Amino acid sequence: MMEFTAEHLPGDGRPAVVFMSALFAGGWIWDHPFHRLAADRWPVLRTNEPICALDRQVAGSIERLGDALLLACDEAGVTDAIVCANSLGGLVAIDLAGRRPDRVRGIVVSGAPGLTADPDVGLSFDRRGSVRPFGDDFGERMVAALFHSGRSHFSPERMAEAGALLQRPESMVSMARSIKATRRYQVKPALDRVQCPSLYVWGRHDRMTPVDSWLELLAAYPDNEVLVVEDSGHIPMVECAERYTAALEPFVTRCAGALT
């Protein structure tokens, strides 16, 4: 069964900042905060594989994805984690914080689904329940959905990696199951179980998972911190990397301080 492998830099004795890869993009989306925190001697870990590259049984379950993330932490010797996640991974972080408060010391969530309908980004379900890209303009539509600027912030090599992944039938099945899992997931009961510090960093112009529904829901949880990044779409840690990391650094410092 394919589960996560990870890159781990041990740093000092503080809790590890753990970055979870996204649905069809690997741990490289976290390049900026990963290297910035590592330079400051924070222990950091990031998973390598996109979620849709995992076994379909893992990719199709929020809970199993969280367990897979903890298994990667276990293999690296990471006990206390501050989990940073984007999109589908955001639901995994929320769920894991509620289920494993003994391990998760804080969460940073961006662009999580679960409150709005799926956007039209060039993906189509077939009668077998799998998902496939369609249309000559698929790449352009996906970039427009991900980034506010309307241009890709991924290198050509990274775009090629994602495109190759989306051509694999097994990846399409895992992606379809992941999307279905987000539709079934009950967000509010999960939020009710979270007791650790939480930071929500959302792009103002996120077309994939619009911020307004989340702002409305999070208003009922005033202890959570919320940052709306004005010039960003769905992936603020890439599109507005400096601002994302600048918000992350004091938050993880506060999380580590709460343990001392």
Side-chain angles (χ1 to χ4, degrees):
M1 179 178 291
M2 177 63 179
E3 295 186 340
F4 290 118
T5 63
E7 178 182 3
H8 175 230
L9 300 176
D12 57 22
R14 291 173 289 186
V17 184
V18 174
F19 299 96
M20 183 175 180
S21 46
L23 183 58
F24 60 89
W28 49 267
I29 66 169
W30 301 104
D31 278 351
H32 193 276
F34 182 87
H35 291 298
R36 174 76 66 81
L37 292 178
D40 288 338
R41 297 294 299 156
W42 279 92
V44 290
L45 180 148
R46 59 177 169 181
T47 54
N48 295 316
E49 297 80 9
I51 290 170
C52 70
L54 303 183
D55 181 89
R56 64 183 67 180
Q57 299 298 326
V58 177
S61 167
I62 303 299
E63 293 81 5
R64 288 177 182 171
L65 283 167
D67 292 342
L69 183 64
L70 283 188
L71 180 59
C73 290
D74 291 341
E75 292 177 349
V78 169
T79 301
D80 295 323
I82 302 166
V83 179
C84 303
N86 184 62
S87 198
L88 167 61
L91 293 186
V92 176
I94 292 168
D95 185 78
L96 198 57
R99 289 193 298 119
R100 295 301 306 269
D102 58 316
R103 300 288 299 275
V104 179
R105 305 307 184 185
I107 57 173
V108 185
V109 174
S110 305
L115 298 183
T116 53
D118 299 334
D120 178 12
V121 295
L123 295 174
S124 175
F125 284 90
D126 66 22
R127 289 180 297 176
R128 296 168 299 172
S130 64
V131 62
R132 59 186 176 85
F134 70 93
D136 293 338
D137 62 347
F138 168 71
E140 293 180 5
R141 293 165 70 186
M142 182 65 77
V143 166
L146 293 176
F147 299 113
H148 172 55
S149 66
R151 66 179 181 85
S152 176
H153 290 258
F154 296 159
S155 69
E157 293 78 13
R158 296 305 189 186
M159 289 294 290
E161 286 178 18
L165 186 66
L166 293 173
Q167 296 302 314
R168 296 171 52 195
E170 58 269 32
S171 296
M172 293 295 95
V173 174
S174 291
M175 180 179 287
R177 294 199 175 193
S178 293
I179 292 171
K180 289 182 179 180
T182 68
R183 292 170 176 166
R184 295 191 301 264
Y185 196 71
Q186 299 298 306
V187 175
K188 189 178 187 308
L191 286 176
D192 289 341
R193 294 190 292 269
V194 176
Q195 300 299 317
C196 65
S198 304
L199 171 63
Y200 292 82
V201 184
W202 229 273
R204 173 68 73 186
H205 304 281
D206 187 338
R207 288 184 54 213
M208 295 279 284
T209 53
V211 67
D212 290 343
S213 297
W214 279 88
L215 291 177
E216 182 178 350
L217 178 59
L218 291 171
Y221 303 87
D223 290 339
N224 293 337
E225 300 179 43
V226 179
L227 171 65
V228 178
V229 183
E230 294 296 335
D231 297 324
S232 180
H234 186 61
I235 316 178
M237 66 289 306
V238 172
E239 191 166 14
C240 296
E242 277 290 348
R243 272 175 283 174
Y244 180 92
T245 304
L248 178 63
E249 289 173 313
F251 176 77
V252 297
T253 298
R254 290 193 293 275
C255 289
L259 295 178
T260 60

